[in-house]
Amino acid sequence: MAKILLVDDEVEFTETTKRLLEHRGYDVTAVNSGDSAIKALGQGKYDVMVLDLKMPGMDGISTLKEIRKLQLHIQALVLTGHGAINTALEAMKLGAYDYLTKPCEIDELTEKLEGAREKGESENKKKSFLGSLTKGMRKK
């Protein structure tokens, strides 16, 4: 079961989306700010983070920058309102997997979540393989 961190300042949205994703078999933690997302990432392992870009305080872009600075490894799927596509593209330059515009269909969200999860698993396997190679080279 994939572990999802859902980050959005709209409490009703996070509660509804959390229920819908849990109904589809995901383990979801919902938080309502960028600061809370950073804290949650420091305390647990998540497969994918769904991150709203427009939030008060630490917005989505600032959250992604902080994640990068702290070297926290997470696949991020960003949510943006209409007309904020440039911001979504900026998020992708900072390492976000992809973006969706709000409101989005739950099936579209789960499809993107699976793509992000698979990419994360693939990257983790590569890191593990490269780590074992370098460890083997040091022993020689």
Side-chain angles (χ1 to χ4, degrees):
M1 168 181 358
K3 287 190 70 171
I4 309 299
L5 179 60
L6 179 60
V7 188
D8 196 306
D9 63 309
E10 296 176 37
V11 176
E12 188 175 325
F13 174 81
T14 55
E15 289 174 355
T16 302
T17 304
K18 180 179 193 261
R19 266 195 319 273
L20 290 169
L21 290 172
E22 287 174 340
H23 183 70
R24 285 166 172 75
Y26 293 96
D27 179 6
V28 182
T29 299
V31 297
N32 301 108
S33 70
D35 290 322
S36 297
I38 300 297
K39 190 175 184 180
L41 289 170
Q43 294 174 342
K45 176 143 176 40
Y46 296 90
D47 298 301
V48 181
M49 174 176 62
V50 178
L51 176 66
D52 186 24
L53 289 178
K54 192 168 175 86
M55 296 184 291
M58 183 185 281
D59 65 6
I61 295 295
S62 298
T63 302
L64 286 171
K65 286 178 180 175
E66 187 68 13
I67 287 168
R68 186 183 230 182
K69 184 174 101 179
L70 296 172
Q71 297 182 348
L72 299 170
H73 301 286
I74 183 78
Q75 292 298 317
L77 178 61
V78 296
L79 298 175
T80 184
H82 296 289
I85 302 305
N86 287 340
T87 309
L89 294 175
E90 181 183 350
M92 292 178 71
K93 287 178 187 172
L94 289 168
Y97 168 75
D98 205 347
Y99 71 92
L100 284 170
T101 55
K102 285 169 69 176
C104 62
E105 294 294 323
I106 193 68
D107 291 336
E108 187 178 14
L109 176 58
T110 56
E111 185 179 309
K112 298 272 187 182
L113 284 173
E114 285 306 308
R117 185 185 60 76
E118 289 169 11
K119 182 179 181 204
E121 284 179 358
S122 174
E123 286 179 2
N124 288 339
K125 285 179 186 174
K126 281 182 197 170
K127 284 179 191 168
S128 178
F129 176 71
L130 291 173
S132 64
L133 277 180
T134 56
K135 193 183 281 185
M137 293 173 102
R138 280 189 229 132
K139 288 182 181 177
K140 291 183 179 180

